[in-house]
Amino acid sequence: MANTAENTAEKTVGTTRVKRGMAEQLKNGVIMDVVTPEQARIAEDAGAVAVMALERVPADIRKDGGVARMSDPDMIDGIIEAVSIPVMAKARIGHFVEAQVLQSLGVDFIDESEVLTPADEAHHIDKWAFTVPFVCGATNIGEALRRIAEGAAMIRSKGEAGTGNVVEATRHMRSIRSEIKRLGTLDEAELFGAAKEMRAPYEVVKEVAELGKLPVPLFSAGGVATPADAALMRQLGAESVFVGSGIFKSGDPAKRADAIVQATLHYQDPGVIAKVSRGLGEAMVGINLDELDESQRYAGRGW
Amino acid sequence: MSAQPVIGVLALQGDTEEHLRALRGIGATAVPVTAPGELDQLQGLVLPGGESTTMSKLAVRYGLLDPLRKRVRAGLPVYGTCAGMILLADRILDGTADQCTVGGIDMTVRRNAFGRQTESFEGSVGIDGVDGGPVDAVFIRAPWVESVGPGVSVLGRLPADDGAAGRIVAVRQGSLLATSFHPELTGDARIHGLFVDIVKGTA
């Protein structure tokens, strides 16, 4: 007989372990942006580990302009209904009511995202106040650590979403990884200085210095369009990737989705990456960053 | 002392690293496994947590499913957590239409049984064969065991007085072990210790 008598009846939801643990489960998997239940099913069939439900992929948000907000709850419900894998959704930076709504809809993860128009120019959402875990973007270590201090359970590079151009994601991932390494070389006094410089709590800075990694999973996002892009981010130290516009803005989404899943797993095997890169059809068009007006850059959003 | 057995951790997707760390922390030799050829060297295997649909798709694509089934049938000790428990189940409920399992444990497992992530929780569960009091158990979009066949020992259940009313969350059949929850996330290596003893033939 199982010794159930020893069990306590207490069940606690939304603990740090439960939130960060959820993020750990997504490692080595690909999270794909989808705008319809049909796309969500294609993503699930291709082996996506989760989908991001949104009304417009970043490439279309760029094209359409205007204020980008949380998606219609009907649309999110439709995607939750369509698939059995986890569903994520985006809230505007600082818009804690959008986050409350998303949590009440039962989404599995909230992305407090610079792709949407920020709702608060000084504060991010207090993510400790939620049961649902959050992922936040970062361009450098200070930003990553401030988000972790606010309760983020996962960090992703911001990159430059909706461009199909991986250069910014590369810059952010390299910056975060090299700063993590540098923290490991600092002595106690220098760590206090670093915390001050990074505007992040000393405890989190010290934890990163000791672990040699962030205390939460580090993913990459923002401009990944090909299997080789996904593998590049993995080799630079990302534990996995988000693919936004790259899949469903391409010629053959199902095939590309499958190829990116395989390249993410076998990121150190050029033979596999070559094989899955063949005959993928047209990639999304892509934007060169120097053609992008400063006001059109999303990575600078967030503080 | 004899050499440590080599224990593989399936590395297709999920929290492989945490299992490798937990196993190495108790002195076991642990290696990640992604290809069928890597199964031959193993004396034990861990199927980690992650997304079970993704793992089973990748296992089929890389030709791992049949070799895994063969090794399990031939008696390879395997420990599955969460998604890994689903992979060890002979029957699953609420899976996707094409979802395959390795099987081996005569049980029916319900996927995402406790609900979505907002209902994920931690608590403590007493486990038969694990001394030192209940273990901290982290349940993440976790499955539960709906029913078991006669050859399966139930090692742990949730308390009967909550919403999940005495659900089975830990089982063993021969050298196959499965838990709905994730000991690899807590730093408590007692269940990994039990599995290493199963691999060594001492438990």
Side-chain angles (χ1 to χ4, degrees):
Chain A
M1 276 303 293
N3 46 355
T4 44
E6 282 183 50
N7 297 352
T8 63
E10 214 162 297
K11 270 169 58 175
T12 321
V13 297
T15 63
T16 301
R17 279 203 299 216
V18 167
K19 292 180 186 174
R20 292 182 180 179
M22 172 68 191
E24 306 284 0
Q25 306 312 309
L26 300 172
K27 285 192 301 196
N28 236 346
V30 181
I31 299 158
M32 303 181 191
D33 277 7
V34 296
V35 299
T36 63
E38 194 204 342
Q39 288 186 356
R41 279 188 287 265
I42 291 171
E44 185 176 48
D45 286 344
V49 76
V51 290
M52 177 78 71
L54 70 179
E55 272 168 354
R56 292 179 290 171
V57 294
D60 288 331
I61 293 175
R62 281 190 187 285
K63 208 168 69 198
D64 299 349
V67 173
R69 312 179 178 90
M70 175 187 82
S71 298
D72 186 320
D74 273 347
M75 183 268 158
I76 293 168
D77 281 348
I79 285 170
I80 287 176
E81 277 299 303
V83 294
S84 65
I85 55 176
V87 175
M88 300 187 171
K90 290 183 195 289
R92 282 180 264 176
I93 289 173
H95 205 315
F96 52 87
V97 175
E98 284 188 350
Q100 289 163 2
V101 170
L102 293 174
Q103 176 166 289
S104 80
L105 294 177
V107 305
D108 297 293
F109 230 104
I110 294 176
D111 184 5
E112 184 181 17
S113 177
E114 68 284 358
V115 169
L116 304 184
T117 310
D120 188 322
E121 292 189 325
H123 309 94
H124 281 250
I125 297 169
D126 168 17
K127 293 163 274 287
W128 298 113
F130 288 79
T131 304
V132 67
F134 281 74
V135 54
C136 290
T139 60
N140 58 52
I141 187 81
E143 220 177 338
L145 299 188
R146 291 195 293 280
R147 298 296 86 82
I148 292 168
E150 293 157 3
M154 180 196 286
I155 295 297
R156 55 170 175 77
S157 65
K158 282 184 175 171
E160 198 51 60
T163 60
N165 187 340
V166 81
V167 65
E168 291 299 303
T170 303
R171 186 195 322 278
H172 302 158
M173 192 54 60
R174 280 199 185 275
S175 163
I176 293 168
R177 296 276 298 166
S178 72
E179 282 296 304
I180 291 172
K181 276 183 230 152
R182 188 180 73 91
L183 284 180
T185 66
L186 302 185
D187 66 27
E188 203 67 8
E190 289 168 329
L191 282 177
F192 280 108
K196 194 176 153 196
E197 207 177 284
M198 292 170 178
R199 294 184 287 130
Y202 167 75
E203 291 69 27
V204 186
V205 173
K206 189 171 165 61
E207 191 180 6
V208 172
E210 282 169 1
L211 290 173
K213 63 188 279 298
L214 298 181
V216 303
L218 173 62
F219 279 34
S220 179
V224 173
T226 68
D229 287 349
L232 172 68
M233 300 321 297
R234 295 294 318 269
Q235 289 201 26
L236 288 174
E239 289 171 292
S240 207
V241 295
F242 288 76
V243 187
S245 320
I247 289 173
F248 288 100
K249 282 285 162 193
S250 74
D252 188 344
K255 195 170 177 193
R256 185 168 294 263
D258 176 86
I260 291 177
V261 169
Q262 296 200 53
T264 299
L265 170 60
H266 290 291
Y267 66 97
Q268 287 168 311
D269 187 337
V272 171
I273 301 166
K275 191 172 150 216
V276 303
S277 298
R278 289 175 198 277
L280 279 185
E282 225 169 297
M284 69 178 288
V285 174
I287 301 173
N288 288 316
L289 271 295
D290 48 15
E291 292 164 14
L292 210 56
D293 192 67
E294 203 54 41
S295 68
Q296 286 301 303
R297 292 180 178 238
Y298 298 155
R301 297 169 168 179
W303 7 95
Chain B
M1 209 179 119
S2 64
Q4 281 290 339
V6 178
I7 297 178
V9 181
L10 192 68
L12 296 177
Q13 192 275 315
D15 67 347
T16 305
E17 279 302 316
E18 283 64 29
H19 277 289
L20 291 170
R21 197 178 310 135
L23 289 165
R24 288 168 186 159
I26 54 173
T29 304
V31 295
V33 172
T34 55
E38 293 162 352
L39 293 173
D40 301 338
Q41 50 163 342
L42 305 179
Q43 280 90 55
L45 176 68
V46 171
L47 305 176
E51 179 46 52
S52 64
T53 55
T54 305
M55 266 189 239
S56 70
K57 277 186 183 94
L58 291 170
V60 171
R61 180 172 295 143
Y62 296 114
L64 268 160
L65 198 64
D66 285 330
L68 274 173
R69 285 176 175 159
K70 281 196 192 96
R71 287 295 313 265
V72 169
R73 240 174 275 143
L76 179 72
V78 183
Y79 172 34
T81 63
C82 195
M85 170 188 255
I86 296 171
L87 288 174
L88 281 176
D90 281 348
R91 296 166 299 279
I92 51 175
L93 300 171
D94 296 340
T96 55
D98 61 342
Q99 193 168 352
C100 311
T101 72
V102 175
I105 300 183
D106 180 11
M107 62 178 172
T108 302
V109 168
R110 185 177 294 278
R111 191 164 156 253
N112 299 342
F114 294 95
R116 307 193 66 84
Q117 173 60 12
T118 46
E119 284 135 301
S120 293
F121 64 97
E122 56 179 284
S124 46
V125 179
I127 302 294
D128 276 4
V130 170
D131 297 332
V135 300
D136 283 0
V138 179
F139 293 83
I140 295 173
R141 285 173 51 97
W144 67 42
V145 180
E146 196 101 354
S147 60
V148 295
V152 180
S153 317
V154 173
L155 303 186
R157 292 175 184 269
L158 284 176
D161 55 350
D162 70 14
R167 289 294 178 182
I168 301 167
V169 294
V171 296
R172 176 176 174 183
Q173 180 172 13
S175 56
L176 304 177
L177 180 68
T179 60
S180 303
F181 53 89
H182 296 271
E184 74 278 12
L185 296 177
T186 62
D188 180 344
R190 285 178 292 161
I191 296 182
H192 287 88
L194 169 63
F195 179 60
V196 172
D197 289 344
I198 291 173
V199 172
K200 288 177 174 166
T202 59

